[in-house]
Amino acid sequence: MKRRVAVTGMGIVCPIGNDLADVWESVKEGRCGIDKITKYDITGRKVTLAGEVKNLDIEKYIDPRELRKLDDFSAFAMVASTQAYEDAGLEALDESHDRWGVILSSGIGGIHTIEQEHSRGQKMGFDKVSPFFIPKTISNIAAGNIAIKYGLHGMTGCCVTACASAANGIGDAFRHIRDGYGDVMLAGGAEAAITELSMGGFTSMKALTKAADKDRASIPFDKDRSGFVMGEGSGVLVLEEYEHARARGAHIYAEIVGYGANCDAHHITAPDPEGTYAAKCMAMAIEDAGISPDQVDYINAHGTSTKMNDVGETKAIHACFGPHASELAVSSTKSMTGHLLGASAAVEAVITIKAIEEGFLPPTIGLKEPGEGCDLDYVMGQGRSTHIQYALSNSFGFGGHNGSLVFKHA
């Protein structure tokens, strides 16, 4: 028998806030977290904007001696996981952790450390790079560090599926509990790819916007959209077997009830322009949830602000939902945060769950006039209050990876 899975804790650090309360207030107010890049000299660079994490008191969460052993993506993961663990009240439970685990995803991992240590190796010789170089860069190390911190002995892993990474990680953690293999899972993603090499690579492939106006940079579905804005940070959910959560009196934010995953098998970077398998991915998640498409009230879209994604995703929504597509609310919170790559689905899952709990549709800020082929209700400008029973969150990644998650009001 399939078991129910509750969300009992959440943690987040991203361009619009450094904890759940701050982020949700930013969402309600429609704050833009995008601004000039401060992490390196942008003189002469084509891309000058990004969604950086701001004013994070990281030593509140991580001892400085431990921090030097972590790449930024791992540090963000530790912050968000600490918040989520404490939010769920797990530290108060005196029980075995053999069935508690972690899936913490990252699309790129420790690229800042790779750049830093390569420069050091060129100057001092490659036998002089840091002994922490390898454990700082490998993508699975964030999950490992979280497991070590809390003594979690259940399944611990890392999904690496580009911008669908955290969706696949959360979905796999959901199935792990639902199918009886574990009782508690920390699941999410982390990314810290605002670095010279990373940004240069995305610039060269013409994926990033060169817009200079931060309010007109990440504008999903807008006729003037010209590429995505890089963001950074982490989001972590505590997923828990429903009866386990109820027995201890845990606060339940929402239930996760459906997961779909497939592949476009179309191109290494471009999505299928017709959105055929994105539509099938959403349909899989809805079927997995045991509901009909017309029961979905809201979609947190992948909505990257690129020409191809936004039209393809719109087509996919029409194909999946039919006439109900015109009644759905759809928004892209990347308009506020930028695109956090492998962490995007986790940050968006946190926001989607709060949207369900609070009965509030997050806005697509900056969207002024939808472009050709973008004809849905994108919650333009300001958010709206309404009851949300079921919400779906989409994530699509390079290589054609697709992931969709369905959440239900508690």
Side-chain angles (χ1 to χ4, degrees):
M1 184 177 73
K2 292 182 177 180
R3 306 191 306 168
R4 294 167 71 182
V5 181
V7 179
T8 57
M10 297 197 289
I12 188 168
V13 54
C14 72
I16 58 172
N18 296 329
D19 58 42
L20 183 59
D22 194 17
V23 169
W24 185 240
E25 190 63 29
S26 292
V27 170
K28 289 191 293 183
E29 293 185 5
R31 294 177 191 158
C32 179
I34 294 160
D35 214 327
K36 291 285 187 183
I37 295 168
T38 65
K39 291 177 177 291
Y40 57 86
D41 184 5
I42 56 174
T43 303
R45 302 298 175 95
K46 295 178 181 178
V47 173
T48 60
L49 299 176
E52 296 181 347
V53 169
K54 306 165 190 68
N55 305 314
L56 175 62
D57 182 8
I58 203 161
E59 292 184 10
K60 173 183 175 184
Y61 300 93
I62 306 171
D63 186 286
R65 292 168 296 181
E66 294 300 312
L67 190 58
R68 59 186 287 267
K69 303 175 186 177
L70 303 176
D71 184 86
D72 290 348
F73 91 100
S74 283
F76 291 151
M78 293 300 288
V79 171
S81 62
T82 299
Q83 292 176 0
Y85 199 90
E86 293 176 356
D87 184 41
L90 296 178
E91 70 282 355
L93 298 188
D94 182 18
E95 62 182 73
S96 169
H97 292 177
D98 288 359
R99 290 171 58 84
W100 295 21
V102 188
I103 302 180
L104 201 296
S105 303
S106 183
I108 293 182
I111 191 166
H112 176 259
T113 298
I114 292 172
E115 294 179 34
Q116 188 178 54
E117 293 301 321
H118 183 264
S119 296
R120 178 176 176 173
Q122 285 185 313
K123 292 177 183 177
M124 301 176 62
F126 285 93
D127 289 342
K128 298 290 182 66
V129 299
S130 168
F132 297 115
F133 169 55
I134 298 300
K136 285 176 72 172
T137 57
I138 52 179
S139 296
N140 67 295
I141 202 64
N145 282 327
I146 294 165
I148 290 167
K149 177 175 180 177
Y150 293 112
L152 310 182
H153 297 288
M155 184 183 75
T156 298
C158 170
C159 289
V160 183
T161 49
C163 304
S165 296
N168 292 146
I170 293 169
D172 288 351
F174 158 62
R175 287 177 176 172
H176 192 71
I177 296 173
R178 185 185 66 180
D179 296 342
Y181 296 104
D183 297 322
V184 176
M185 296 290 291
L186 275 72
E191 207 76 86
I194 305 174
T195 71
E196 292 188 89
L197 180 61
S198 171
M199 295 292 284
F202 281 102
T203 299
S204 293
M205 68 189 300
K206 297 179 170 58
L208 298 176
T209 181
K210 299 173 187 174
D213 180 355
K214 66 184 182 67
D215 295 317
R216 295 292 293 163
S218 185
I219 47 173
F221 307 108
D222 193 279
K223 68 181 182 63
D224 294 330
R225 67 192 186 280
S226 57
F228 77 82
V229 174
M230 186 71 78
E232 63 179 1
S234 178
V236 174
L237 308 179
V238 173
L239 304 185
E240 187 172 348
E241 193 275 321
Y242 190 84
E243 295 304 327
H244 183 276
R246 283 193 64 187
R248 70 182 186 87
H251 172 69
I252 296 175
Y253 284 100
E255 286 186 64
I256 177 169
V257 292
Y259 169 46
N262 64 10
C263 186
D264 284 354
H266 171 72
H267 187 270
I268 58 171
T269 57
D272 173 4
E274 297 304 312
T276 303
Y277 281 87
K280 290 184 177 183
C281 184
M282 287 185 275
M284 289 169 64
I286 291 166
E287 182 180 6
D288 192 43
I291 61 174
S292 59
D294 62 4
Q295 288 180 268
V296 176
D297 301 302
Y298 168 62
I299 297 176
N300 191 320
H302 188 54
T304 58
S305 189
T306 61
K307 291 290 184 183
M308 293 188 70
N309 173 88
D310 295 1
V311 172
E313 187 171 9
T314 298
K315 288 182 178 179
I317 291 169
H318 278 292
C320 178
F321 290 92
H324 184 59
S326 61
E327 301 174 22
L328 276 167
V330 178
S331 68
S332 173
T333 52
K334 288 184 178 72
S335 59
M336 292 176 267
T337 66
H339 188 0
L340 278 72
L341 306 181
S344 59
V347 165
E348 287 153 22
V350 170
I351 294 172
T352 300
I353 290 164
K354 283 298 292 182
I356 292 171
E357 184 184 47
E358 299 285 337
F360 182 83
L361 298 169
T364 306
I365 67 168
L367 171 56
K368 293 183 177 179
E369 183 180 343
E372 183 178 355
C374 297
D375 59 356
L376 298 170
D377 173 10
Y378 300 115
V379 194
M380 292 173 58
Q382 293 183 328
R384 302 197 297 263
S385 294
T386 187
H387 177 71
I388 304 169
Q389 185 67 18
Y390 290 97
L392 186 147
S393 185
N394 282 333
S395 297
F396 310 132
F398 285 176
H401 302 290
N402 300 322
S404 294
L405 301 166
V406 179
F407 299 98
K408 178 187 176 183
H409 192 278

